[in-house]
Amino acid sequence: MSRQPMGATDLATSATTGVFGRRSGHEQVVFCQDPASGLQAIIAVYSTALGPGLGGTRFHPYLSEDAALDDVLRLSRSMAYKNSLAGLDHGGAKAVIIGDPATGKSEELLRAYGRFVQSLGGRYYTACDVGTDVADMDVIARETRFVTGRSEVNGGAGDSSVLTAYGVFEGMRACAEHAWGTPSLAGRRVGVAGVGKVGSHLVGHLLMDGAAVVVTDVSPQAVDRLRLRHPGVEIAAGTDALLAADLDIYAPCALGGALNEQTVAALSATIVCGAANNQLAHPGIGSRLRERGVLYAPDYVVNAGGVIQVADEIAGFRFERAKARAAGIFATTARVLTEAAREDLPPAAAADRLAEQRIAAVGRLRAIYLTR
Ligand SMILES: NC(=O)c1ccc[n+]([C@@H]2O[C@H](COP(=O)([O-])OP(=O)(O)OC[C@H]3O[C@@H](n4cnc5c(N)ncnc54)[C@H](O)[C@@H]3O)[C@@H](O)[C@H]2O)c1
């Protein structure tokens, strides 16, 4: 992954330590540029042990190329773990495009990017992420067939937040069963931070199950939209007020890093289960939650409904099939929590271990030779 030609010393380093480039572990990192359209993208394939890498394209005004590289390396690795525990036949990969999604997008740039995706010959399937949407995927699809998350009119599955929210709800029910002996959320008080696409669908499931719901969002429009759909929902003044409210469950559904020393100390809930990616500000927060007796559902386990949906689209999308697989998030979450309790580990560490075991066990089968 180094952009410098590899010399004899690098080769020696690689052979003796297994570490190549600035980070270890990634199979392939590709720098793509097309100066005329302004495209600067990095595609990172962490692992294809389970199948072609699958992960979205983030379009973001990174302050430097190094910041973009750090992000894509981290995100692609996370996708390998998420796809593994979701039971998908996909490895982990991700891409970043450096630029402002509000001003930097053009047909030319997206199609140039699509040609680079195509050049990987199916080792990487792309999809939507922060800064890209289904309309962008439709444009990218004019240059590559290795794209998913397309619009419904173009044969895609459309917005993935419906199944993401459903999966989070199933994960939450599994947490409830682990903590309280019943998966029902009836009578429980759930705080949802962030009522955008996923959070608002999640609120619907919670109310249907008989939970009382308190929400907060920095966007007054998001709160107003939710109030129109669900007038009975209580509104908290902000995240601090929500954290301090008398909650049974806290569901971070906004940005990453929601769980840090301060928020964990302020938490009233006994379960944390939400859609946001990368909720733990650092890995030590998983132990901190456990010390406080808080049951944490690892984010990538419970928010896999979206990637389950886009993976299903590759086979020709069928909502009921994708929903059935997303329902499996209940069993996966239960397995992670049981393993964590048995091994005396934070759930995040137990999830990582299970994901790695599947990558090793199923990935190994490629060693059985098949004629093509
Ligand atoms: N959409 C999916 O299918 C999907 C899949 C997996 C994970 N996720 C993750 O779930 C989270 C929510 O995704 P989404 O698609 O609903 O995004 P979204 O942008 O539709 O909603 C996010 C909401 O959070 C609010 N918000 C931002 N900062 C906040 C803060 N500090 N406090 C309270 N509210 C805040 C925003 O105003 C917005 O309403 C993200 O972390 C995303 O990465 C989404």
Side-chain angles (χ1 to χ4, degrees), residues 236 238-247 250 258-259 262-264 266-269:
T239 307
D240 289 349
L242 185 68
L243 285 166
D246 190 19
L247 302 177
Y250 175 55
L259 300 168
Q262 290 74 38
T263 52
V264 171
L267 203 58
S268 61

Side-chain angles (χ1 to χ4, degrees), residues 25-48:
H26 289 74
E27 277 180 27
Q28 187 178 22
V29 180
V30 183
F31 288 73
C32 318
Q33 63 177 322
D34 175 51
S37 66
L39 176 73
Q40 290 189 319
I42 311 173
I43 300 171
V45 178
Y46 178 72
S47 163
T48 56

Side-chain angles (χ1 to χ4, degrees), residues 160-161 164 194-198 217-219 222 239 253-255 275-277 303:
S160 61
S161 60
T164 300
V195 285
K197 294 188 289 295
V198 179
D217 196 296
V218 288
S219 157
T239 307
C253 294
L255 306 179
N277 276 313
N303 74 13

Side-chain angles (χ1 to χ4, degrees), residues 166-251:
Y166 175 62
V168 172
F169 175 65
E170 287 298 322
M172 208 178 266
R173 289 180 354 96
C175 290
E177 185 170 73
H178 189 89
W180 302 313
T182 168
S184 171
L185 302 175
R188 302 289 174 192
R189 197 153 189 258
V190 186
V192 181
V195 285
K197 294 188 289 295
V198 179
S200 58
H201 287 304
L202 178 62
V203 169
H205 288 297
L206 294 171
L207 293 172
M208 283 285 288
D209 206 30
V213 180
V214 195
V215 308
T216 191
D217 196 296
V218 288
S219 157
Q221 292 84 359
V223 173
D224 288 347
R225 273 195 302 271
L226 189 85
R227 239 200 290 245
L228 270 178
R229 272 166 74 182
H230 305 295
V233 164
E234 196 183 323
I235 313 294
T239 307
D240 289 349
L242 185 68
L243 285 166
D246 190 19
L247 302 177
D248 294 303
I249 303 174
Y250 175 55

Side-chain angles (χ1 to χ4, degrees), residues 72-300:
V72 77
L73 293 177
R74 183 179 59 82
L75 292 165
S76 55
R77 184 175 185 277
S78 301
M79 286 310 300
Y81 284 73
K82 183 186 288 200
N83 293 345
S84 171
L85 269 196
L88 300 175
D89 290 335
H90 283 286
K94 199 95 178 184
V96 295
I97 298 179
I98 303 171
D100 183 343
T103 55
K105 271 184 208 167
S106 65
E107 178 189 349
E108 188 190 358
L109 179 144
L110 291 171
R111 291 181 72 156
Y113 172 65
R115 292 182 77 82
F116 283 109
V117 173
Q118 180 66 21
S119 76
L120 293 178
R123 285 178 49 74
Y124 170 56
Y125 276 85
T126 197
C128 305
D129 194 67
V130 177
T132 56
D133 56 23
V134 289
D136 298 330
M137 295 307 123
D138 285 344
V139 178
I140 290 167
R142 293 168 73 175
E143 302 294 342
T144 179
R145 64 181 187 281
F146 305 116
V147 54
T148 176
R150 296 178 61 189
S151 64
E152 288 171 79
V153 285
N154 282 302
D159 180 10
S160 61
S161 60
V162 173
L163 284 186
T164 300
Y166 175 62
V168 172
F169 175 65
E170 287 298 322
M172 208 178 266
R173 289 180 354 96
C175 290
E177 185 170 73
H178 189 89
W180 302 313
T182 168
S184 171
L185 302 175
R188 302 289 174 192
R189 197 153 189 258
V190 186
V192 181
V195 285
K197 294 188 289 295
V198 179
S200 58
H201 287 304
L202 178 62
V203 169
H205 288 297
L206 294 171
L207 293 172
M208 283 285 288
D209 206 30
V213 180
V214 195
V215 308
T216 191
D217 196 296
V218 288
S219 157
Q221 292 84 359
V223 173
D224 288 347
R225 273 195 302 271
L226 189 85
R227 239 200 290 245
L228 270 178
R229 272 166 74 182
H230 305 295
V233 164
E234 196 183 323
I235 313 294
T239 307
D240 289 349
L242 185 68
L243 285 166
D246 190 19
L247 302 177
D248 294 303
I249 303 174
Y250 175 55
C253 294
L255 306 179
L259 300 168
N260 55 36
E261 302 292 351
Q262 290 74 38
T263 52
V264 171
L267 203 58
S268 61
T270 50
I271 290 173
V272 174
C273 177
N277 276 313
N278 307 316
Q279 287 169 33
L280 304 181
H282 60 81
I285 295 292
S287 304
R288 188 80 194 85
L289 284 161
R290 199 165 59 126
E291 285 157 21
R292 282 216 54 207
V294 176
L295 189 66
Y296 169 65
D299 44 21
Y300 73 78

